[in-house]
Amino acid sequence: LNYLDVHSEDTIMVCDTMATDIKGGVEAGLETILVLTGVTRREEIGRYPFQPNQVLDSVADIKVLHICQWLNPTRSSFSFRY
């Protein structure tokens, strides 16, 4: 995050694996979205002691503006880095 000059409060980690990706995002204090296009299946999510903030079927289900407003509802403009 330092390399990208962004803060954890303004960052969401989109992941497809609970055991590594979501775990790392949660440990880093990030908001997390699990997409079910990877290794993890929906029925496995509850087995983990850590949980994503959202679960989506695909990255295609992510609505960028909605996510930005979810992170910071009082902010009116956003910048994106991929």
Side-chain angles (χ1 to χ4, degrees):
L1 296 178
N2 290 335
Y3 177 78
L4 296 172
D5 193 29
V6 295
H7 194 276
S8 60
E9 293 175 356
D10 298 322
T11 304
I12 295 176
M13 187 166 173
V14 179
C15 314
D16 66 1
T17 307
M18 285 290 295
T20 55
D21 303 342
I22 294 294
K23 181 181 181 195
V26 169
E27 289 174 349
L30 302 174
E31 297 288 331
T32 57
I33 296 175
L34 175 69
V35 292
L36 299 174
T37 52
V39 187
T40 304
R41 296 186 317 256
R42 188 176 298 276
E43 58 271 14
E44 298 172 329
I45 298 169
R47 298 179 191 164
Y48 292 89
F50 47 88
Q51 296 293 299
N53 296 98
Q54 290 190 22
V55 178
L56 301 173
D57 291 325
S58 166
V59 293
D61 296 327
I62 297 173
K63 309 290 188 264
V64 174
L65 185 57
H66 171 74
I67 297 299
C68 292
Q69 291 169 343
W70 171 49
L71 281 173
N72 193 338
T74 60
R75 193 166 167 185
S76 60
S77 65
F78 302 92
S79 61
F80 303 97
R81 296 185 183 160
Y82 302 94

